[in-house]
């Protein structure tokens, strides 16, 4: 039977093994982050729209084309979060977290972007992210990257992903590069895509990120950003690269990597795989030293990243990597007769109180119940029969030998 109700395009139901893999990735990400001294933070799924507009930039795709925005009953403009950094930064300011700097925070949850759905790209997707606030040292970037790398390693995915890094430099480098880029691109203005024409006025760096074929040809000969770096920006980037080498984290420099959100400066990076098709970025982030001030907070450096958990799970599934330990097979409690079934429910409850997994079968005839138990991998079952005198007879069945033996009710828990 087909129902007219489907999940909304770009959203999906996570069931069975897929959901178990999500939980596994979460657990590994949580425990690894805790080892690195990070603490969990949870911010609301929606914020005032302005929080995202100010943080991510009006011209970022995430804000200009992809937000789920609505006016609530009180007349406020509200946006479902397209990412986690803006909310964490807002919380840092409104909760006065500067007092406890440095803050090393991690978060997990659903994000919402109205993008064109395809494999690895969803409209509701899950990010695990980390943010370090209050540390301007380049080795904070390295520690963050090490955390990302260790999580991928524990998932068995480190070899499938390559770390690409770049620097956008400090404000001075960025301004100089911006002018150089505008100078280079202006003669091509009419050949650029409509999006890039708008960006040329508002945020020319983003043009480097364009997916448009025509744009990409023009960009190919654009001046590289590193030519415009100040000495201090260069030495910052050098320290990051040295730090990565000292931790033996393999990486490749990609001078075209700019990232899609406006708040970045200095280091930007992505872990990319070629095994997922077009949506190969499984983790992305960078430094954002100006963001907290943009939201009205004290000058506070920041660095962090977020990983698309859907993509990590997709990757685990394509590799057939089932990380989760299969749950132990249950003790089956199988009854014949209505009163015996009620007794089985009681017994099942008692077994579970001992932290032993038990499965009580409420439907099907006796033979069907045995078959179902067998399918679950049961090795031992308790069989309950109603007798003519109103009492019950209990048997323990060993599925490996097929043997059955009668036991007293009081001995059942011990027997299993
Ligand atoms: P982002 O690159 O926009 O960065 O997203 C991070 C990751 O989220 C991507 O690399 C990808 O794995 C996943 N992702 C993004 N969009 C989708 C989608 N539609 N479907 C599935 N997965 C997706 C940020 O969000 C920044 N807040 C990261 C950051 C944290 N920077 C500093 N701190």
């Amino acid at each position: 039977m087909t129902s007219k109700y489907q999940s909304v395009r770009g959203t999906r139901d996570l069931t069975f093994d897929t959901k178990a893999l999500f939980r596994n990735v979460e657990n590994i990400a949580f425990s690894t982050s805790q080892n690195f001294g990070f603490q969990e933070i949870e911010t609301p799924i929606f914020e005032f729209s302005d929080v995202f507009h100010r943080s991510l930039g009006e011209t970022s795709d995430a804000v200009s084309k992809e937000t789920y925005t609505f006016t609530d009953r009180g007349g406020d403009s509200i946006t479902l979060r397209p990412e986690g950094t803006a909310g964490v930064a807002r919380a840092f300011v409104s909760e006065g977290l500067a007092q406890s700097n440095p803050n090393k925070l991690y978060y997990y949850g659903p994000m919402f972007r109205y993008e064109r759905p395809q494999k690895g790209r969803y409209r509701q997707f899950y990010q695990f992210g980390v943010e370090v606030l209050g540390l301007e040292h380049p080795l904070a970037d390295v520690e963050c990257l090490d955390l990302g790398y260790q999580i991928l390693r524990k998932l068995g995915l480190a070899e499938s992903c390559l770390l690409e890094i770049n620097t956008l430099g400090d404000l001075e480098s960025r301004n100089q590069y911006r002018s150089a880029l505008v100078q280079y691109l202006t003669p091509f203005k009419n050949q650029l895509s409509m999006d890039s024409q708008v960006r040329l006025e508002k945020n020319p760096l983003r043009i480097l990120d364009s997916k448009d074929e025509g744009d990409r040809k023009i960009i190919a000969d654009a001046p590289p950003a590193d030519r415009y770096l100040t000495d201090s920006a260069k030495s910052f980037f050098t320290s990051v690269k040295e730090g990565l080498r000292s931790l033996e984290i393999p990486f490749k420099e990609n001078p075209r990597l700019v990232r899609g959100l406006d708040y970045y400066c200095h280091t930007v990076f992505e872990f990319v795989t070629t095994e997922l098709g077009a949506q190969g970025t499984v983790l992305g982030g960078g430094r954002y030293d100006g963001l907290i001030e943009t939201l009205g907070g004290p000058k506070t450096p920041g660095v962090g990243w977020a990983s698309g958990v859907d993509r990590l799970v997709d990757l685990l599934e394509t590799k057939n990597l089932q990380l989760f330990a299969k749950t132990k097979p249950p003790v089956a409690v199988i009854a014949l007769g209505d009163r015996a079934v009620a007794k089985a429910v009681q017994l099942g409850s008692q077994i579970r109180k001992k932290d032993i997994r038990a499965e009580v079968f409420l439907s099907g005839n006796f033979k069907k119940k045995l078959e179902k138990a067998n399918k679950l991998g049961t090795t031992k079952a308790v069989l309950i029969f109603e007798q003519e005198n109103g009492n019950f007879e209990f048997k323990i069945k060993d599925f490996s030998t097929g043997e059955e033996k009668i036991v007293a009710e009081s001995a059942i828990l011990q027997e299993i």
Side-chain angles (χ1 to χ4, degrees), residues 392-408:
F392 296 108
E393 181 183 66
F394 300 92
K395 284 185 181 167
I396 302 278
K397 180 180 172 79
D398 185 329
F399 270 67
S400 53
T401 59
E403 238 171 67
E404 291 179 15
K405 69 172 179 185
I406 295 178
V407 289

Side-chain angles (χ1 to χ4, degrees), residues 56 62 66 82-86 107 111-116 118 120-132 259-261 263-264 269-271 279-288 302-312:
L56 315 185
E66 297 167 2
E83 56 98 62
T85 310
Y107 53 87
M111 309 289 159
F112 305 86
R113 294 185 195 178
Y114 193 83
E115 292 189 88
R116 198 166 48 77
Q118 59 179 119
R121 190 158 73 191
Y122 307 94
R123 289 183 173 170
Q124 173 170 332
F125 61 99
Y126 293 79
Q127 277 188 350
F128 175 83
V130 305
E131 313 292 352
V132 175
R259 308 259 314 126
L261 309 167
Y263 47 60
Y264 293 112
F269 50 81
E270 290 182 348
F271 279 91
Q279 303 306 316
T281 307
V282 296
L283 184 156
R287 185 162 271 281
Y288 49 88
V303 57
W305 51 257
S307 176
V309 175
D310 303 76
R311 291 187 191 172
L312 294 177

Side-chain angles (χ1 to χ4, degrees), residues 348-365:
S349 172
Q350 278 170 14
I351 297 172
R352 292 170 192 138
K353 276 186 196 144
K354 301 275 175 215
D355 269 337
I356 297 171
R357 184 179 161 204
E359 198 68 46
V360 180
F361 297 93
L362 297 177
S363 65
N365 62 29

Side-chain angles (χ1 to χ4, degrees), residues 193-247:
S193 66
M194 286 314 285
D195 276 346
S196 290
Q197 292 192 20
V198 174
R199 285 180 184 144
L200 188 59
E201 310 285 329
K202 292 189 173 161
N203 189 355
L205 278 174
R206 282 293 321 283
I207 297 175
L208 296 176
D209 205 28
S210 172
K211 303 278 182 287
D212 180 272
E213 280 292 315
D215 288 355
R216 296 214 65 83
K217 282 197 188 120
I218 297 170
I219 298 159
D221 293 324
D226 56 1
R227 201 180 292 163
Y228 299 87
L229 293 178
T230 59
D231 286 344
S232 70
K234 263 186 211 153
S235 95
F236 190 97
F237 193 42
T238 303
S239 304
V240 172
K241 289 185 282 186
E242 279 171 4
L244 289 173
R245 285 191 198 102
S246 78
L247 298 183

